[in-house]
Amino acid sequence: MQAQPAQELEGVATTLRAHGARFAFVHGSAAVPGATAPGDIDVAAWFGDARVDGLAVAAALPGWVDLLTLDRAPLELGGRVALTGRLLFEDDPPVRVRWQAQTRKLALDERHRVERAARTSWRDAVVDPERLHRLLRGVTEDLAWLRRYAAVVRAELLADPARLGHTKYLFVTALEGCVDVGHHVVASEGWRVPDTNADAMRALAEHDVIVDEVARSMAKAVGFRNLLVHNYAEVDDERVADYLNDLGDLDRFVTALTALLED
């Protein structure tokens, strides 16, 4: 897919402004001049309020936009945007300059720490075990709820908007947790920079953290998460019910990353 036309990105900027964004960047491969963009365009926006509802903002954007909310972004992602992102718009230049300078400094300091740690045991010195345990615990709790809904008679679930809506929300939060885990491990190890959230899963497989089969399944699941976020009202409820009967690779992902911490 070629880069989105400038007028379409202007529409993205207009939507972000309407939701209170004060500046935004295009990042990932789409930020490289002349590069062929992936299926999704990565956009990072700063709102000046960590309470902003990122899901609501993302739902208002076109389906080809993958939104990162900088107010709550982990350092490895925010730093990457600050270092390599291409400015989409800014309505508060002093705030943008201050954020970008501070985040670049923190990211470069962290990069130096990672490079030093790479010469020692990476499990002890690079990956943050407490953070990964917290993220994996959240995914595990979401999976427990999803299994409860999987046990509900399919027709009953599809006829219950409350339970169906909660199921969709749980898929979004569980998959976002998996994405955060993937990016943290990849960035902490200093491996190649993934182009997209799905590519982070492939990067884990390249280094034998998860097997190829799980990586392919998780990449598709991340695409399903994007569909839920961007086209919530148009998602086929039957497809949601189908995914409830296919939670095995999410379990395998959690098991593999938990084992990584315990080695």
Side-chain angles (χ1 to χ4, degrees), residues 34-49:
T36 299
D40 290 340
I41 301 297
D42 295 312
V43 174
W46 192 85
F47 297 82
D49 184 355

Side-chain angles (χ1 to χ4, degrees), residues 11-13 15-16 43 56-67 229-231:
V12 171
T15 300
L16 290 172
V43 174
V57 179
L61 294 169
W64 45 265
V65 175
D66 197 352
L67 178 67
V229 170
H230 296 299
N231 301 97

